[in-house]
Amino acid sequence: MLLKNPPKISPNLIKQLEAILGKDGVIRRKDELLTYECDGITGYRQRPALVVLPRSTAEIAAVVKLCHDNEIAWVARGAGTGLSGGALPLEEGILVVTARMNQILRVDLDNQRVVVQPGVINNWVTQAVSGAGFYYAPDPSSQIICSIGGNVAENSGGVHCLKYGVTTNHVMGLKIVLPDGSIIDVGGAVPEQPGYDLTGLFVGSEGTLGIATEITLRILKTPESICVLLADFTSIEAAGQAVADIIKSGMIPAGMEIMDNLSINAVEDVVATGCYPRDAESVLLVELDGLGVEVTRNKQRVAEICRQNGARNITTANDAETRFKLWKGRKAAFAAAGKISPNYFVQDGVIPRTQLVYVLQEIKALSEKYGYKIANVFHAGDGNLHPLILYDNKVEGAWEEVEELGGEILKLCVRVGGSLSGEHGIGIDKNCYMPAMFNEIDLETMGYVRDCFNPKGLANPGKLFPTPRSCGEAANAKIQGFGGVDVF
């Protein structure tokens, strides 16, 4: 299906949208639309034709029905913190922003669940239940600003995904507005439902199947004991081997994170924790949780494994304040990269833990080949890499070279048995690399699923799946826009 010549948004359609949302719910001034021209990956930019700000499921359904009837393409957007271009607008399309739908609708502590609207900020969920001894496990580094709706769309992860899983493991049910404007409920209030797992299908579908307007989340009881260890090493390979040995021992920490020397110095320049030795080639953060006796025993085992792999110093923290201080630098790593480079491009790939040392060596070789520094920050426990490629966008041709370098890293991840994404999604950034991971039949089958929900191709066209023109258009999005893209 092609959207070669998408219809323009008529004045009459704008009036209909204003009747549904009120005039303050429709943004049409060009200078205001610039606010929404990109998500967290700023290399791709496109101003939408119109932005709408619904407040309820009914309003979203009415807006989407209008788009369906008038064959207007649309893109859903949450807080705009995504890192794959998944919320990149369409030149002749409507951007549906869920930021005003930011209410926690129900808290059910007895059954350990919370129902929220998509605009609720990730960290708000834990804040709402922490006083009763509960928390929400998925914790992206952007958790103080990213929204649950966006987390659902991209199947976001975070520090605790090693032990507790990513977003899909914590979503029990969804209310969804389909691309024709109809409303369905999938999943429910109990963990297991008969029939097809439509909840699992929707989580991670990147806005191509509809918009989630109510999300039922699983919350967890706060562990009896939590301890964080910080170990520093003279090589990143040694830290990687320590990770492999910890998992091999049978322990499953709540999280394990590695930062290289470039990242260490960046975060110390910005947040000045004083915890990360500037001369260390890498630091390893390990969080353990569970019963007090279990954490005490595992703390000793982890420390011993780190020492066996050459750790110079090991710091431990049991109290909340010191634990927060140890994690503060890691949580600020992406933002801190702006201190050492005018621009950076963060990638997101997954590899088997056994390939960690090899892949880091290959990334170093690619850095030298292309002439761009790469800061490495990653969820080491589950092999989710986040290489940050540092560059200056004012240098002509730099962005194109950085894109190519990022693509080489992704293809490397796939070659060693990994994946194109662990938590940031595919979006427009990685869709042209999908054939490196999936064959033609795989992609065709996924296309059938999408077409069942989105037969007109109006919901987030041009994202997730490759198209004949996707790579070229992605490279030129900031200049040409996305009007009339092919729909896979």
Side-chain angles (χ1 to χ4, degrees), residues 3 11 83 116 123 134 145 161 194 217-218 269 295 384 388 395 472:
L3 295 177
L83 290 167
V116 305
N123 200 39
F134 292 88
I145 51 173
C161 60
L217 302 173
R218 177 186 291 108
D269 286 344
V295 170
N384 189 186
L388 286 81
V395 177

Side-chain angles (χ1 to χ4, degrees), residues 458-488:
L458 299 175
N460 213 7
K463 312 291 176 57
L464 186 56
F465 297 111
T467 72
R469 296 157 54 196
S470 62
C471 294
E473 288 190 348
N476 295 301
K478 56 185 176 180
I479 300 172
Q480 294 181 354
F482 274 78
V485 299
D486 292 339
V487 179
F488 172 80

Side-chain angles (χ1 to χ4, degrees), residues 37 108 113 159 164 197 222 232 267 274 290 298 305 344 363 439:
E37 68 177 354
D108 182 354
R113 57 180 181 248
V159 167
Y164 295 105
D197 181 14
T222 304
D232 67 90
V267 299
N298 286 343
I305 290 171
Y344 69 87
I363 290 175
N439 64 34

Side-chain angles (χ1 to χ4, degrees), residues 18 23 43 64 112 176 211 217 249 299 326 345 405 412-413 428 470:
E18 289 178 342
K23 290 195 173 184
V64 170
Q112 295 187 213
I176 300 168
I211 304 178
L217 302 173
S249 73
K299 175 173 66 173
L326 291 181
F345 178 42
L405 171 53
L412 169 64
C413 291
I428 198 68
S470 62

Side-chain angles (χ1 to χ4, degrees), residues 349-362:
V350 182
I351 61 170
R353 283 186 297 266
T354 54
Q355 297 292 326
L356 184 58
V357 172
Y358 169 73
V359 169
L360 289 174
Q361 291 171 341
E362 289 296 297

Side-chain angles (χ1 to χ4, degrees), residues 218-297:
R218 177 186 291 108
I219 53 175
L220 303 177
K221 192 68 177 171
T222 304
E224 176 183 291
S225 178
I226 303 173
C227 178
V228 176
L229 294 89
L230 173 68
D232 67 90
F233 296 83
T234 56
S235 76
I236 197 167
E237 291 82 7
Q241 188 58 52
V243 169
D245 290 346
I246 289 169
I247 297 296
K248 184 179 178 180
S249 73
M251 289 181 285
I252 303 294
M256 287 197 287
E257 304 285 307
I258 288 179
M259 297 168 56
D260 68 6
N261 181 264
L262 204 53
S263 302
I264 290 167
N265 281 280
V267 299
E268 284 297 333
D269 286 344
V270 173
V271 298
T273 67
C275 300
Y276 302 176
R278 287 181 177 271
D279 63 338
E281 283 302 308
S282 65
V283 294
L284 169 64
L285 281 155
V286 181
E287 181 168 301
L288 303 164
D289 66 4
L291 297 174
V293 63
E294 175 189 17
V295 170
T296 298
R297 183 190 62 189

